[in-house]
Amino acid sequence: MSIKQVAEAANLPAKTIRYYEDIGLITPARGDNGYRSFGETDLHKLRFVARARSLGFSVDECRTLLAMYEDTDRASADVKALAETHLTRIDEKIRELTEMRQTLSHLVHCCAGDDRPGCPILDDLAGTGRAD
């Protein structure tokens, strides 16, 4: 498959596929003309990485997961440990986003939103006031 074909099949931009090749996640064959030639294994890896990325795994974590996937002697406990660590980070991000939302919601509620110049949102961002 050409890069255009594999990009379409993997539902990834060609630029992303080139990046994954540059960092060694995939290694497509090269013809005498220098063009990339992607096989089913490459497509499978690209789909694997795309799915892992959609779950928020970093590129380095994807590299580790791909290596674990290809290592038939690895223990599933190792995969689970990596996923649990990632899940803990996701939970922390959710907590941080919840706090951000609560703060911003409070500031929006405190702002009159009228023609007057005073604004508790801007005051809070500037550190000059407090919305109560």
Side-chain angles (χ1 to χ4, degrees), residues 17-47:
I17 295 170
R18 286 187 202 95
Y19 171 68
Y20 289 164
E21 180 185 9
D22 287 345
I23 63 171
L25 279 180
I26 59 165
T27 310
R30 292 266 183 175
D32 292 338
N33 59 6
Y35 290 148
R36 296 169 184 87
S37 177
F38 296 88
E40 288 299 318
T41 301
D42 298 312
L43 176 58
H44 179 73
K45 286 181 182 181
L46 288 168
R47 287 178 174 159

Side-chain angles (χ1 to χ4, degrees), residues 14-114:
K15 185 175 182 177
T16 299
I17 295 170
R18 286 187 202 95
Y19 171 68
Y20 289 164
E21 180 185 9
D22 287 345
I23 63 171
L25 279 180
I26 59 165
T27 310
R30 292 266 183 175
D32 292 338
N33 59 6
Y35 290 148
R36 296 169 184 87
S37 177
F38 296 88
E40 288 299 318
T41 301
D42 298 312
L43 176 58
H44 179 73
K45 286 181 182 181
L46 288 168
R47 287 178 174 159
F48 182 99
V49 171
R51 176 67 177 139
R53 294 288 289 147
S54 76
L55 292 172
F57 286 100
S58 69
V59 171
D60 285 337
E61 288 169 327
C62 288
R63 184 185 312 281
T64 301
L65 286 166
L66 199 53
M68 289 175 166
Y69 178 76
E70 293 173 338
D71 179 5
T72 57
D73 293 328
R74 57 95 182 102
S76 65
D78 296 336
V79 181
K80 184 176 181 176
L82 180 75
E84 285 176 332
T85 298
H86 183 61
L87 189 58
T88 299
R89 281 195 312 271
I90 289 172
D91 288 339
E92 178 62 23
K93 284 181 185 178
I94 290 170
R95 186 191 63 71
E96 290 172 0
L97 287 170
T98 300
E99 287 178 10
M100 287 170 43
R101 188 187 191 295
Q102 288 171 346
T103 299
L104 187 55
S105 177
H106 175 71
L107 291 171
V108 166
H109 175 74
C110 291
C111 182
D114 56 19

